[in-house]
Amino acid sequence: MRQGHNKDIEIPMFDLYTISKATNNFSVNNKLGEGGFGHVYKGLFEEGQEIAVKRLSRNSFQGLDEFKSEVICIAKHQHRNLVKLLGCCIEGEEKMLIYEYMPNRSLDLILFDPMQSAVLDWPKRFHIINGIAQGLMYLHQDSRLRIIHRDLKASNILLDSDMNPKISDFGLARCFGGNETGANTSRVVGTYGYMSPEYAIDGHFSVKSDVYSFGVLVLEIVSGKRNRGFSHRDHHHNLLGHAWRLYKEGRSLELVNAHLDVSGYLSEVLRSIHVGLLCVQQCPQDRPSMSVAVSMLANEGLLPQARHPGFFTERDAESSSSTTTANSKNQMTISLVEAR
């Protein structure tokens, strides 16, 4: 396998022939999925290493400069709960990212499937929640650059052979140096249902926007239900509204997936729901930082009362303003800044 090194992007470079051969010439049988970025293919190097190849589509919003900036940002941030970037391929009009392959694919494919979700017992779900929290804490405060992901959701959490979660897809992420923790944008990109109110409405995103998305994920993992599209016979709220209603009535355990046995883990389950609700509070200043959220999940101390969550109850307004991930992706990519 020929492998080079480009000083401009400081990451291993793979030639097109190698990647084409590994993916059986990008065979439809090797296709794992697709999104706004393009198609994702499974590949196998000659020495036996499995890979996942994200191939930038020709009509993607991402240009070469933005692509390189994204690669640099990802390459400099490695953590056990972030998907590992192995290298990239830039040849002619082809632009590809080569990642480690995750055998259990994405969390949403298991979590929201009535049959497959049975493999996710409570210890596995709690392990996934904690892993996502650790990865997000690293991005926000422990990495060389502060990264706001902006599109944290179940389909962007990949699972390895041991069900360890890995945050993936940094196509919409933004990097910051110094003490910056947020910014404003006139182009809101991401996925409705996971987007914080201040970002969806005013275009303001910050580390607390990611915290909100994490809170949504926690409640989805506990319940096995999607926030968007959730329905209940007694009200018209989404999943967050339902969780908030149960919390206020002291019935939080009713949020738990009906087929999930949590009899030996009641305090962990209740704590997870409580932390999830603290993370989705309407006011960004009320939400905990990810380091505080990690501590809350790990310790048995008293938690503050959760306040009203930020969520939309007007179904029609939400659906009419929603944008699919495929259409919203890659309208804005990582900005390259100096390390802090």
Side-chain angles (χ1 to χ4, degrees):
M1 176 175 64
R2 183 175 72 81
Q3 188 170 319
H5 195 270
N6 187 312
K7 291 183 179 179
D8 186 33
I9 59 176
E10 301 178 350
I11 191 171
M13 299 288 291
F14 297 92
D15 59 72
L16 179 58
Y17 173 79
T18 298
I19 302 304
S20 180
K21 185 177 181 181
T23 59
N24 193 21
N25 197 27
F26 304 102
S27 166
V28 65
N29 294 327
N30 287 51
K31 188 176 173 181
L32 295 173
E34 61 184 282
F37 181 101
H39 301 301
V40 182
Y41 299 88
K42 182 180 180 181
L44 182 67
F45 285 145
E46 288 183 346
E47 58 268 36
Q49 182 180 17
E50 292 183 312
I51 58 172
V53 179
K54 291 181 66 176
R55 188 185 193 189
L56 185 70
S57 62
R58 301 289 174 86
N59 59 354
S60 171
F61 290 104
Q62 256 185 321
L64 182 58
D65 291 339
E66 292 84 358
F67 176 83
K68 287 183 177 180
S69 295
E70 180 181 347
V71 169
I72 293 171
C73 197
I74 299 172
K76 290 182 177 180
H77 297 86
Q78 301 294 347
H79 183 272
R80 66 183 178 276
N81 294 117
L82 304 183
V83 66
K84 185 177 181 181
L85 180 67
L86 303 176
C88 67
C89 173
I90 303 175
E91 200 168 309
E93 294 186 1
E94 291 285 1
K95 294 183 281 289
M96 291 174 277
L97 298 175
I98 294 86
Y99 288 97
E100 60 178 334
Y101 175 69
M102 295 286 105
N104 282 309
R105 309 280 292 279
S106 57
L107 174 62
D108 64 316
L109 296 178
I110 299 177
L111 181 64
F112 302 128
D113 184 288
M115 299 297 293
Q116 293 199 54
S117 62
V119 306
L120 294 177
D121 57 14
W122 176 251
K124 285 191 179 71
R125 293 184 192 226
F126 193 57
H127 175 70
I128 290 170
I129 288 171
N130 278 286
I132 298 169
Q134 293 282 349
L136 207 51
M137 181 176 70
Y138 171 81
L139 292 174
H140 287 180
Q141 68 179 54
D142 294 334
S143 60
R144 296 178 65 222
L145 296 170
R146 179 176 288 109
I147 298 179
I148 300 174
H149 189 280
R150 295 207 301 172
D151 201 21
L152 191 72
K153 56 184 177 179
S155 60
N156 284 340
I157 303 300
L158 303 183
L159 301 170
D160 69 11
S161 57
D162 296 318
M163 290 294 182
N164 294 310
K166 312 262 188 176
I167 299 173
S168 72
D169 202 335
F170 291 79
L172 303 182
R174 289 291 301 272
C175 288
F176 295 90
N179 295 317
E180 292 179 297
T181 57
N184 289 289
T185 180
S186 59
R187 291 189 294 176
V188 174
V189 291
T191 305
Y192 282 91
Y194 294 94
M195 231 186 266
S196 65
E198 71 275 8
Y199 181 42
I201 297 172
D202 300 318
H204 179 72
F205 63 92
S206 68
V207 291
K208 294 300 182 73
S209 307
D210 277 354
V211 171
Y212 180 93
S213 301
F214 171 73
V216 175
L217 262 176
V218 170
L219 297 175
E220 288 187 334
I221 291 169
V222 171
S223 66
K225 304 289 186 182
R226 297 181 189 271
N227 182 32
R228 289 201 70 216
F230 176 85
S231 62
H232 195 278
R233 64 180 181 275
D234 295 335
H235 56 73
H236 298 290
H237 297 312
N238 58 10
L239 180 65
L240 306 193
H242 179 58
W244 170 245
R245 182 171 176 163
L246 293 175
Y247 169 79
K248 288 193 299 180
E249 296 173 0
R251 300 189 292 137
S252 284
L253 284 176
E254 293 181 29
L255 185 70
V256 178
N257 186 303
H259 303 292
L260 195 61
D261 180 11
V262 297
S263 56
Y265 310 98
L266 296 183
S267 63
E268 270 185 6
V269 173
L270 288 171
R271 177 166 291 270
S272 297
I273 295 171
H274 197 151
V275 171
L277 285 169
L278 289 172
C279 289
V280 298
Q281 291 177 107
Q282 174 77 29
C283 183
Q285 289 77 14
D286 290 337
R287 299 171 205 154
S289 65
M290 282 312 304
S291 59
V292 171
V294 167
S295 177
M296 286 176 170
L297 288 167
N299 299 307
E300 292 297 321
L302 289 176
L303 298 176
Q305 288 292 311
R307 297 183 178 182
H308 195 282
F311 61 90
F312 301 104
T313 56
E314 297 83 2
R315 295 277 184 200
D316 293 339
E318 182 184 355
S319 60
S320 64
S321 64
S322 67
T323 304
T324 63
T325 304
N327 290 334
S328 65
K329 272 187 177 294
N330 302 310
Q331 294 181 35
M332 184 172 292
T333 55
I334 291 170
S335 297
L336 182 62
V337 295
E338 294 301 316
R340 58 184 172 90

